[in-house]
Amino acid sequence: MSRPKIATLWLDGCSGCHMSILDMDQRILELASRADIVYSPLVDTKEFPEGVDVAIVEGAISTDEDVHKIRLVRSRSKFLISLGDCAITGNVPSMRNPFSTQEILERTFVENTTTNPIIPSEDIPKLLDKVVPLHHVVDVDLHLPGCPPPADVIWETVTKLLDGEMPEVTIKTRFGK
Ligand code: SF4
């Protein structure tokens, strides 16, 4: 029987959610003994493969390239997890939503730079008018909230899925549930 395939993807996020994956520490080795990590910033695979069992996605959708990636991931994955508040709500990246993309580009590349102030136009993804969470573009099977979600929650979620069970996600914060 083939081993389960796990993938992780980093869209418009700060990498903090992937740091939380790394915070599983030695449990990552245990995970690797039960499943293949076939695509991730943590492994050297260039193309998102077919037949992924669990895809774990950090970050919001901010560009046309993000839209293309998440649609590809959805089409090639059986179970898709929105990992963290940026993926679930837009969170930090969506703070630009009250402004137009032109205002954002001018603020970033012209007003806040002293050398060669120019808005790049080639070889970069096109910004969407608004940053949106994953479920605005594709169906999502599970949300794992937190900024970032705790490593223990990621571990319990993934191992339950590997055991063939549907995880129940309850995260206590310092503000209560
Ligand atoms: S949810 Fe928080 S930790 Fe995760 S990518 Fe967004 S800002 Fe970073």
Side-chain angles (χ1 to χ4, degrees):
M1 196 173 114
S2 64
R3 284 155 53 87
K5 294 178 183 168
I6 296 175
T8 80
L9 185 74
W10 173 8
L11 296 177
D12 193 1
C14 73
S15 86
C17 289
H18 271 82
M19 292 300 113
S20 210
I21 293 174
L22 287 176
D23 275 347
M24 290 194 293
D25 298 327
Q26 72 276 10
R27 290 175 292 186
I28 291 177
L29 298 177
E30 196 177 325
L31 199 59
S33 73
R34 297 188 59 189
D36 291 331
I37 301 174
V38 293
Y39 184 93
S40 173
L42 312 174
V43 301
D44 187 23
T45 309
K46 303 299 180 213
E47 187 176 347
F48 196 91
E50 304 267 2
V52 168
D53 293 290
V54 181
I56 305 170
V57 184
E58 166 190 330
I61 307 289
S62 295
T63 67
D64 58 354
E65 187 175 277
D66 293 338
V67 172
H68 171 75
K69 281 183 185 169
I70 196 64
R71 286 184 175 149
L72 182 76
V73 167
R74 178 68 277 185
S75 71
R76 295 183 174 181
S77 307
K78 292 180 190 149
F79 197 91
L80 193 150
I81 298 174
S82 275
L83 180 69
D85 291 348
C86 292
I88 295 171
T89 70
N91 197 26
V92 176
S94 67
M95 290 171 73
R96 77 163 166 89
N97 283 354
F99 307 96
S100 71
T101 53
Q102 189 61 29
E103 286 174 309
I104 295 293
L105 291 169
E106 282 179 10
R107 183 72 176 160
T108 305
F109 293 106
V110 178
E111 295 169 22
N112 278 343
T113 185
T114 51
T115 55
N116 196 22
I118 189 167
I119 296 176
S121 59
E122 293 179 6
D123 301 323
I124 57 167
K126 184 174 178 298
L127 291 179
L128 302 181
D129 288 343
K130 301 291 177 202
V131 174
V132 293
L134 302 192
H135 65 274
H136 283 205
V137 180
V138 294
D139 288 337
V140 169
D141 299 301
L142 187 75
H143 292 112
L144 277 189
C147 185
D152 288 348
V153 172
I154 300 171
W155 166 253
E156 284 173 25
T157 300
V158 174
T159 50
K160 279 217 164 184
L161 287 171
L162 291 178
D163 290 339
E165 299 173 32
M166 178 56 106
E168 286 179 23
V169 180
T170 304
I171 296 181
K172 289 181 181 170
T173 70
R174 61 199 167 103
F175 304 110
K177 281 186 189 175

